Amino acid sequence: MRKKISLILPVLNEQHNVSIVYNAIKEVFYTLPEYDYEIIFIDDGSTDATLDLLKELASQHPEVIYISFSRNFGKDNALYAGFSNCTGQAAITMDADMQHTPGLITKLIEQWEAGYEVVYYYRKGSNIHASALSKFFSKTFYYLVNALATVKLENGVSDFRIIDRKVVNVLKTMNEDTLFYRGLIKWVGFKQLGLAYVPSERENGKSRYRTKALFSFAINNVISLSVKPLSIAIYLGFFFSFLSVLYVPYAIYSKLNGVAQSGWASVILTIAFFGGLNLMILGIVGLYLGKTFMQSKQRPPFIISESNINN
Ligand code: UDP
Ligand code: MG
C-alpha cells in the first residue's frame, strides 16, 4: 500500500508565501515518488488575500485542502484542526513562511520510517534572526517551563515535526483550553527523536509573535503544563511561618525591656511585603481558576467558516 503524508500548515496573512511554500513542498515530493501527500492549509483568520489564493490553489491541485477559521484562533488551534482532518499515516506540521525549510522534510520521513513516532527539529545554537530581547525572553521561557513543568523541553524546540498516525489519534482527543503542542507532544510519550536545525529567514512579511506577547505566552504555557506554581504558596507559607517563629523571642525581649515601640519600619516593611506576596499567590490561584472556568465552558477550539473538505 502506498503511504500518505499529511502536511499541516497554519497560515495567518501569508499571501506572499502560500504559493512559494506550496511549490517548495511539491518539489520535495518529486524526489519522494513512493509517497502520496496532502497539504492542509489552515487559514487562521487572515485578513489579506491568503484565503483567495488557497482556494485558487485547491481548485488547481487536488492534494491541496484548505480550512478557513471564522476568526484568529491561534497557531496551536490551527494545528488541532489539522490533526482532526488529516488522513495520512503520518502528519508533518510546519510554518508557511519558509523558516522551516521544506528540504528538511525528507529527513523527517526517513526517521519516521526508521521507527520513530515523533521526530522534531530544535534550533541549533542561538537564533541568529531574533533580536537580543526576544532571545532573552526565549531563554527565560524555556527556563521557566522546565523549572515549573512536568515535561522537559529542549531549548528552541520548534513546531516542525512529523507525527505518526498513532500519536495523531491521541492528540485528536486532547481538547484543552490552552493548547501548547510543543509541551503536549513531549508529554504524550512514544518514541521521539530531536534533530538540530538552523531556521531560515522568513521569506515575506513579519513574525506575529512579538516579544511583548511572549511573556504572557510563557505564563500561559507553564500553567497549561503543570500545577507546580500552586505549590509555591505552600513552600512560601512554611518558610515565612518558620521565620516568624524566630521573631517571637525578640518580641518578648523588647516587651520586657520596654523598647516595643521602636519597630515602625519593620512593621511597615512586613505589611508591604506580605501584601505583595498575598496578591501574587492569589494571582497564581486565579490563573488556574480562570483556566478551569474556560475549560468548563467546553467551547470548540476553533470554528470553521469554509473549507473544501467533503464537497
Ligand atoms: N500563524 C497562525 N496563527 C497565528 C500566528 C501565526 O496560523 O495566530 C502561522 C503563521 O502564518 C506561520 C506560523 O504560524 O505560518 C508561524 O508564525 P510566525 O512566523 O509569525 O512566528 P515565528 O516564526 O516568529 O515563531
Ligand atoms: Mg516565522
Side-chain angles (χ1 to χ4, degrees):
M1 198 187 81
R2 282 173 70 81
K3 288 181 185 165
K4 184 177 181 182
I5 309 284
S6 304
L7 294 119
I8 301 173
L9 293 94
V11 284
L12 170 63
N13 298 337
E14 302 282 7
Q15 58 179 357
H16 299 299
N17 293 323
V18 163
S19 63
I20 296 177
V21 74
Y22 168 77
N23 286 321
I25 290 172
K26 202 168 168 161
E27 214 135 279
V28 170
F29 278 90
Y30 274 138
T31 66
L32 300 164
E34 65 273 36
Y35 294 101
D36 289 332
Y37 63 100
E38 62 182 358
I39 306 180
I40 307 176
F41 285 102
I42 296 101
D43 166 32
D44 187 14
S46 297
T47 48
D48 64 358
T50 300
L51 181 57
D52 296 329
L53 291 170
L54 290 180
K55 284 181 179 169
E56 202 182 305
L57 214 57
S59 68
Q60 291 161 3
H61 309 282
E63 73 276 18
V64 174
I65 292 168
Y66 67 89
I67 297 170
S68 182
F69 285 177
S70 62
R71 63 167 170 84
N72 178 259
F73 279 88
K75 180 179 162 184
D76 283 277
N77 294 53
L79 292 177
Y80 186 72
F83 295 140
S84 311
N85 289 286
C86 70
T87 57
Q89 278 78 51
I92 292 177
T93 61
M94 59 190 289
D95 288 358
D97 57 2
M98 298 294 284
Q99 286 198 282
H100 296 163
T101 319
L104 294 174
I105 288 174
T106 318
K107 240 165 71 185
L108 288 180
I109 297 178
E110 267 170 30
Q111 295 298 335
W112 170 64
E113 289 286 12
Y116 288 102
E117 288 149 325
V118 176
V119 186
Y120 56 90
Y121 279 112
Y122 63 88
R123 210 170 41 226
K124 193 164 61 184
S126 69
N127 185 1
I128 39 168
H129 305 303
S131 70
L133 196 65
S134 76
K135 265 187 220 165
F136 168 76
F137 273 112
S138 157
K139 269 225 180 92
T140 319
F141 170 62
Y142 286 101
Y143 176 77
L144 260 178
V145 171
N146 282 336
L148 295 170
T150 42
V151 290
K152 288 263 171 289
L153 280 186
E154 264 131 302
N155 194 352
V157 60
S158 77
D159 275 315
F160 191 11
R161 58 172 93 79
I162 190 166
I163 307 167
D164 187 80
R165 166 55 52 187
K166 249 196 285 184
V167 186
V168 171
N169 286 342
V170 173
L171 295 176
K172 267 163 67 173
T173 65
M174 301 177 84
N175 176 7
E176 305 196 354
D177 171 57
T178 310
L179 281 169
F180 176 53
Y181 280 119
R182 273 176 274 173
L184 213 52
I185 288 175
K186 262 274 150 109
W187 181 85
V188 296
F190 293 99
K191 270 174 75 183
Q192 306 213 0
L193 176 71
L195 302 171
Y197 88 121
V198 181
S200 319
E201 200 120 18
R202 180 174 242 284
E203 192 73 26
N204 288 298
K206 273 204 295 249
S207 164
R208 242 63 43 118
Y209 293 103
R210 284 150 303 137
T211 312
K212 202 176 78 190
L214 268 176
F215 194 65
S216 74
F217 187 64
I219 292 184
N220 247 329
N221 289 319
V222 167
I223 304 268
S224 80
L225 280 175
S226 101
V227 289
K228 274 191 197 168
L230 285 174
S231 57
I232 292 175
I234 299 174
Y235 292 132
L236 285 177
F238 272 120
F239 178 68
F240 286 110
S241 315
F242 178 70
L243 272 192
S244 63
V245 170
L246 294 183
Y247 203 65
V248 171
Y250 173 70
I252 296 173
Y253 166 84
S254 348
K255 181 84 188 153
L256 292 180
N257 290 278
V259 290
Q261 276 83 357
S262 71
W264 182 83
S266 62
V267 167
I268 287 293
L269 278 177
T270 317
I271 290 173
F273 179 75
F274 284 100
L277 195 68
N278 274 329
L279 282 179
M280 188 187 96
I281 300 296
L282 201 63
I284 294 176
V285 176
L287 283 174
Y288 282 96
L289 191 65
K291 290 271 169 243
T292 318
F293 171 68
M294 292 310 289
Q295 188 76 43
S296 72
K297 288 175 182 287
Q298 294 282 333
R299 288 200 185 144
F302 56 83
I303 298 169
I304 297 175
S305 74
E306 52 183 310
S307 165
N308 63 341
I309 294 178
N310 300 331
N311 59 13

